[in-house]
Amino acid sequence: MPLFKNKFQIASNRLECWDYTAPGYYFITICIKKMQCLFGCITNGKMQLSFLGQIIANEWQKTETIRSNVILDQWIIMPNHIHGIIIITERKNVQTARRAVSTCLVQTPRRGVSTCLLPNSLGSIIGQFKSVCTKRIWTAGYHDFRWHRNYHDHIIRNEQSLRQICLYIKNNPAKWDMDEYNPTKYK
């Protein structure tokens, strides 16, 4: 693992050569830290949202309302994570990738990692979503709530892949017993 300021730095799982401000379809998964099942439970193959799950659903749906270049496709909130397809329809107010990277706008030195987020990039969309959800959840009195540090993304490159991912998301609650994110699967 590489070091940054004498601390181990977890390498990014983003595709190095990809511009995440580029129009496209992105399949994302965001998890709760320690995989706690706080967003609800699966009953008879259907997701039943808790109070926190309702906050997540509400904020997720606002994503395309507050960003004119974003459309939400298939999505599901699971007990301890969310899956969704984010469509970035156009590049908004971003310099060329080379210039924008050299003018880092947001850094997170508190974690010991320097992370640059370009405005209207997938990372900034996810970061804003996680931040707003966390503030609402903490305000509701759940001060121990934390997101997993990062998120998983997959760039959807063709119609067949899009159909398979949509089907995966739709069927995810019915397959919870076998889900890799189900903490009871291994007990």
Side-chain angles (χ1 to χ4, degrees), residues 117-132:
L117 292 178
L118 299 175
N120 295 299
S121 67
L122 184 64
S124 71
I125 294 166
I126 300 301
Q128 182 180 28
F129 167 76
K130 288 169 74 171
S131 175
V132 169

Side-chain angles (χ1 to χ4, degrees), residues 25-60:
Y25 287 63
Y26 301 90
F27 171 48
I28 58 96
T29 301
I30 310 170
C31 299
I32 297 176
K33 191 169 186 168
K34 298 182 182 177
M35 301 310 284
Q36 301 169 345
C37 294
L38 302 176
F39 295 156
C41 60
I42 305 290
T43 306
N44 297 324
K46 302 245 189 248
M47 181 63 190
Q48 307 298 318
L49 295 177
S50 66
F51 174 71
L52 299 186
Q54 291 171 11
I55 290 173
I56 301 303
N58 179 265
E59 292 302 329
W60 184 256

Side-chain angles (χ1 to χ4, degrees), residues 28-96:
I28 58 96
T29 301
I30 310 170
C31 299
I32 297 176
K33 191 169 186 168
K34 298 182 182 177
M35 301 310 284
Q36 301 169 345
C37 294
L38 302 176
F39 295 156
C41 60
I42 305 290
T43 306
N44 297 324
K46 302 245 189 248
M47 181 63 190
Q48 307 298 318
L49 295 177
S50 66
F51 174 71
L52 299 186
Q54 291 171 11
I55 290 173
I56 301 303
N58 179 265
E59 292 302 329
W60 184 256
Q61 292 172 70
K62 286 182 184 177
T63 301
E64 69 181 0
T65 304
I66 62 174
R67 294 178 181 270
S68 62
N69 67 324
V70 170
I71 297 172
L72 300 177
D73 201 313
Q74 189 83 30
W75 59 277
I76 186 76
I77 297 171
M78 296 295 287
N80 56 12
H81 63 282
I82 178 172
H83 290 299
I85 297 172
I86 294 177
I87 304 166
I88 298 178
T89 59
E90 63 181 318
R91 188 174 275 120
K92 299 278 281 189
N93 302 323
V94 177
Q95 304 166 354
T96 64

